[in-house]
């Protein structure tokens, strides 16, 4: 009986399960890493397309902007700011906490929303310039709300996200938002925050590296398991 279990065939069978488990697991992890590299290439293509669209030559404001087809489209409008602005709480690396200023804008008989830029917390009550001017910017419908976004504090005029639908209803405008890139009349209190593709997350390379590192860990665990089997056999044979 002892000789049957100590035969080369039995010894090989004892290594078979950890070897198959290790190779199958490593294959799955490598496939996930390769998939993330493919996703990285796909995402970089999308970001390049967005950057190209953002930096294109501006066109007149479409008659009926589409949130999908016209997102990021550069436009140019002329008109004047109307009513009181909405203040959306936020921050920038350079200036810290403050507010994004969203205000109604009247152009060619239409009322739209304009993201004028960023002001400091201390400038919330300041009166901003509002004379006739031209604006160049990009159409945008930001997705900044979820189930955890607080309702705006209307009494203090503090919002916590740029919700185009709600802001348009509050200011009685179209559900169309232009993020200012430049204007013909700048306000010293405002810092423009033009649209760029840099804020769009692209973590696929980190995910791929993680899967490949897990592959090395998995293979290391497989080798350790096979070493433990060999060591146990060596001890038993003494």
């Amino acid at each position: 009986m002892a000789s049957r279990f100590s035969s080369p065939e039995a010894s090989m069978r004892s290594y078979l399960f950890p070897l198959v488990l290790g190779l199958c697991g490593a294959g799955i992890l490598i496939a996930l890493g390769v998939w993330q590299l493919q996703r990285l290439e796909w995402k970089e293509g999308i970001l390049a397309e967005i950057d190209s669209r953002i930096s294109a030559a501006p066109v007149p404001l479409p008659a009926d902007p589409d949130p999908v087809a016209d997102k990021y489209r550069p436009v140019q409008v002329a008109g004047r700011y109307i009513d009181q602005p909405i203040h959306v709480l936020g921050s920038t690396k350079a200036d810290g906490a403050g507010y994004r200023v969203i205000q109604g804008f009247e152009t060619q008989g239409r009322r739209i929303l304009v993201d004028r830029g960023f002001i400091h917390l201390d400038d919330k009550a300041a009166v901003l310039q509002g004379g006739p001017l031209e604006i160049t910017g990009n159409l945008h419908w930001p997705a900044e709300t979820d189930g955890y976004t607080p309702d705006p504090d209307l009494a203090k005029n503090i919002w916590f996200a740029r919700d185009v639908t709600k802001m348009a209803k509050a200011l009685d405008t179209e559900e169309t938002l232009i993020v200012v890139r430049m204007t013909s009349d700048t306000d010293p209190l405002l810092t423009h925050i033009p649209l760029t593709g840099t804020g769009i997350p692209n973590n696929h390379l980190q995910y791929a590296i993680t899967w490949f590192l897990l592959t090395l860990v998995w293979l290391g665990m497989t080798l350790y398991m096979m070493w433990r089997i060999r060591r146990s056999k060596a001890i038993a044979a003494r």
Side-chain angles (χ1 to χ4, degrees):
M1 180 69 70
S3 62
R4 182 168 65 88
F5 282 103
S6 61
S7 66
E9 293 80 4
S11 178
M12 289 299 297
R13 283 196 299 270
S14 65
Y15 291 108
L16 184 60
F17 175 74
L19 180 60
V20 171
L21 182 64
L23 292 178
C24 289
I28 293 172
L29 293 171
I30 290 172
L32 289 171
V34 171
W35 175 65
Q36 286 298 334
L37 290 178
Q38 293 170 343
R39 294 279 294 175
L40 173 64
E41 184 178 0
W42 165 81
K43 192 62 170 285
E44 288 178 341
I46 290 179
L47 293 177
E49 181 180 350
I50 290 174
D51 286 337
S52 176
R53 173 174 286 197
I54 288 174
S55 60
V59 298
L61 181 66
D64 187 18
D66 183 88
V68 176
D70 293 311
K71 192 172 185 179
Y72 308 118
R73 185 181 300 280
V75 295
Q76 194 169 51
V77 295
R80 62 183 182 89
Y81 290 110
I82 54 176
D83 303 327
Q84 293 300 310
I86 283 174
H87 293 149
V88 182
L89 188 64
S91 65
T92 66
K93 291 182 179 180
D95 300 313
Y99 300 97
R100 294 189 81 126
V101 178
I102 313 296
Q103 193 162 356
F105 189 81
E106 189 172 58
T107 176
Q108 297 180 342
R110 300 170 61 179
R111 296 165 62 96
I112 62 173
L113 298 168
V114 171
D115 183 335
R116 300 186 64 175
F118 184 84
I119 59 171
H120 293 281
L121 291 175
D122 296 338
D123 295 326
K124 187 179 189 328
V127 178
L128 301 175
Q129 297 177 4
L133 75 162
E134 292 185 351
I135 293 174
T136 300
N138 298 87
L139 293 173
H140 194 35
W141 288 265
E144 296 179 346
T145 60
D146 56 29
Y148 300 98
T149 304
D151 292 329
D153 186 337
L154 299 180
K156 296 181 179 180
N157 187 21
I158 298 177
W159 293 55
F160 301 96
R162 291 178 297 173
D163 187 323
V164 172
T165 300
K166 289 185 177 179
M167 293 189 302
K169 185 176 181 180
L171 296 180
D172 190 24
T173 70
E174 299 177 22
E175 293 184 16
T176 300
L177 173 68
I178 297 177
V179 180
V180 170
R181 180 170 294 276
M182 58 183 179
T183 68
S184 60
D185 187 10
T186 58
D187 191 307
L189 295 178
L190 282 164
T191 301
H192 298 323
I193 310 179
L195 276 180
T196 66
T198 56
I200 301 174
N202 182 15
N203 300 316
H204 296 294
L205 179 58
Q206 292 91 316
Y207 297 155
I209 292 173
T210 299
W211 287 120
F212 291 139
L213 289 176
L214 286 173
T215 302
L216 294 177
V217 172
W218 187 269
L219 290 174
M221 292 173 61
T222 301
L223 291 175
Y224 175 73
M225 184 181 297
M226 296 178 72
W227 174 81
R228 287 290 301 270
I229 294 172
R230 181 181 178 183
R231 184 169 179 269
S232 298
K233 287 181 176 298
I235 293 175
R238 291 176 183 173

